[in-house]
Amino acid sequence: MSKIKVAIQGTRASFHEEAAFKYFGQEIETVECETFKHTCEALKKNEADYVVMAIENSIAGSLLPNYTLLHDYHFPIVGEVYLSIQLHLLALPGIKLDQIRSVESHPIALRQCADYLEEHPLFKVTEGMDTASCAKKIADNKLTDTAAVANQLAAKLYGLDIIERRIETNKKNYTRFLILSKEKTENPKANKATLLFQTDNSIGSLARVLTFFSEEQINMSKIQSMPVVGKRNEYDFYVDIEWKKQNNYDAAIRKTLKHTINFNILGEYIKNDKI
């Protein structure tokens, strides 16, 4: 039986692969992609069965370019997974902290460790493509004076030691990932959805739509606006909603349809916010 193929942005042992393992389990084949757009292309070309795509981080905020990919590719969202972002300082086995002269990682990971790096002003800090690729570079090139900021999975895969643990500034940092598929699947246990729509420019048009959710006991967990390309003062609204009773959700959708433009349900799935 062939393994499920999951497209990830970055190198093996990146946080995207860790999120894929958390959602699907260890028995998968990850398809490494240089960019998020490449992950969508891999799914489009049937080179992958699913995409794991980061959509927001509790510190860095929403990944706005990925909302554009959701809009452009319209792949159904079939799930979500939250991952605690724990960052460590990795180096070759036997290397001590006082031997480190250079630290490399993804720019966001470096920013998330800013306090620690400020405590070591002699480190030369260099940005890399992703956390795991920086760890792999150290292992491949036997760099004895360089450390990577990455996760425990990268240390294990590339044979590196963790010389400083949990160096991230905010210990409650997490990232939310979406699971995208090429085919929409009906899930009778779905209790969360991501909607995409526009409203007209009349006064209170968006507020009116949001009131429908409240009237039907629907919890709106997130709203993200993105400008409509080439149209001034027009916006796409991406809204995450959660419900306990299916009939409330159905009623809210019927009301929303009548008062929105270009309405789409990007996915209905099971809420999965355990970190």
Side-chain angles (χ1 to χ4, degrees):
M1 186 176 178
S2 59
K3 292 183 177 181
I4 293 174
K5 293 183 178 180
V6 182
I8 61 169
Q9 185 275 324
T11 310
R12 285 201 61 202
S14 65
F15 283 108
H16 274 82
E17 185 176 58
E18 188 175 348
F21 286 153
K22 185 176 180 181
Y23 187 85
F24 292 102
Q26 299 286 327
E27 296 303 313
I28 60 173
E29 179 182 340
T30 49
V31 180
E32 297 173 318
C33 300
E34 187 174 338
T35 67
F36 287 111
K37 182 177 176 63
H38 289 160
T39 65
C40 292
E41 285 296 315
L43 185 57
K44 181 180 178 181
K45 296 174 182 176
N46 295 317
E47 295 169 357
D49 303 305
Y50 297 94
V51 167
V52 173
M53 177 184 288
I55 199 67
E56 64 179 298
N57 176 265
S58 58
I59 295 175
S62 296
L63 280 74
L64 298 181
N66 289 355
Y67 278 97
T68 300
L69 292 175
L70 293 179
H71 179 280
D72 292 347
Y73 283 90
H74 267 92
F75 290 134
I77 302 168
V78 297
E80 66 175 356
V81 61
Y82 284 74
L83 189 68
S84 174
I85 304 301
Q86 299 183 6
L87 296 166
H88 313 293
L89 197 68
L90 314 183
L92 289 173
I95 298 299
K96 305 299 183 184
L97 185 62
D98 59 10
Q99 295 175 261
I100 299 301
R101 298 291 178 268
S102 178
V103 174
E104 299 185 10
S105 193
H106 186 278
I108 291 179
L110 292 172
R111 288 203 297 273
Q112 291 171 347
C113 300
D115 288 355
Y116 176 83
L117 294 173
E118 286 177 5
E119 293 172 4
H120 299 82
L122 296 182
F123 287 165
K124 177 187 176 183
V125 179
T126 305
E127 296 182 356
M129 187 181 78
D130 65 56
T131 55
S133 66
C134 293
K136 185 175 186 296
K137 177 183 174 182
I138 291 171
D140 289 347
N141 296 286
K142 301 293 188 290
L143 302 178
T144 57
D145 64 347
T146 305
V149 175
N151 59 12
Q152 189 168 326
L153 187 62
K156 181 179 179 181
L157 181 64
Y158 300 118
L160 301 179
D161 282 351
I162 298 177
I163 58 175
E164 291 277 291
R165 289 184 177 273
R166 301 299 304 273
I167 65 171
E168 71 275 9
T169 300
N170 189 323
K171 307 303 181 187
K172 295 183 179 180
N173 184 18
Y174 67 85
T175 296
R176 177 186 177 218
F177 299 81
L178 298 178
I179 313 300
L180 309 182
S181 173
K182 202 170 184 180
E183 303 296 331
K184 182 179 180 181
T185 56
E186 298 293 333
N187 191 335
K189 295 183 179 180
N191 59 359
K192 187 171 183 177
T194 298
L195 312 178
L196 168 61
F197 57 80
Q198 299 166 23
T199 63
D200 60 39
N201 285 324
S202 63
I203 294 173
S205 59
L206 177 59
R208 188 181 309 115
V209 172
L210 300 184
T211 299
F212 297 149
F213 301 140
S214 176
E215 290 174 348
E216 296 298 335
Q217 304 300 307
I218 303 295
N219 180 43
M220 184 183 68
S221 56
K222 182 174 183 181
I223 182 168
Q224 179 69 54
S225 64
M226 293 283 289
V228 177
V229 177
K231 295 185 178 181
R232 190 167 65 91
N233 295 331
E234 292 189 26
Y235 294 88
D236 286 319
F237 295 103
Y238 297 80
V239 178
D240 291 338
I241 58 174
E242 304 166 5
W243 63 92
K244 292 183 179 179
K245 295 182 180 180
Q246 184 69 33
N247 60 332
N248 290 128
Y249 169 68
D250 294 339
I253 293 300
R254 286 195 298 271
K255 292 179 180 179
T256 304
L257 271 168
K258 296 177 183 178
H259 294 85
T260 55
I261 305 164
N262 297 327
F263 178 87
N264 282 280
I265 298 176
L266 296 183
E268 297 171 340
Y269 46 97
I270 297 174
K271 177 182 176 181
N272 181 20
D273 59 0
K274 292 182 181 179
I275 299 175

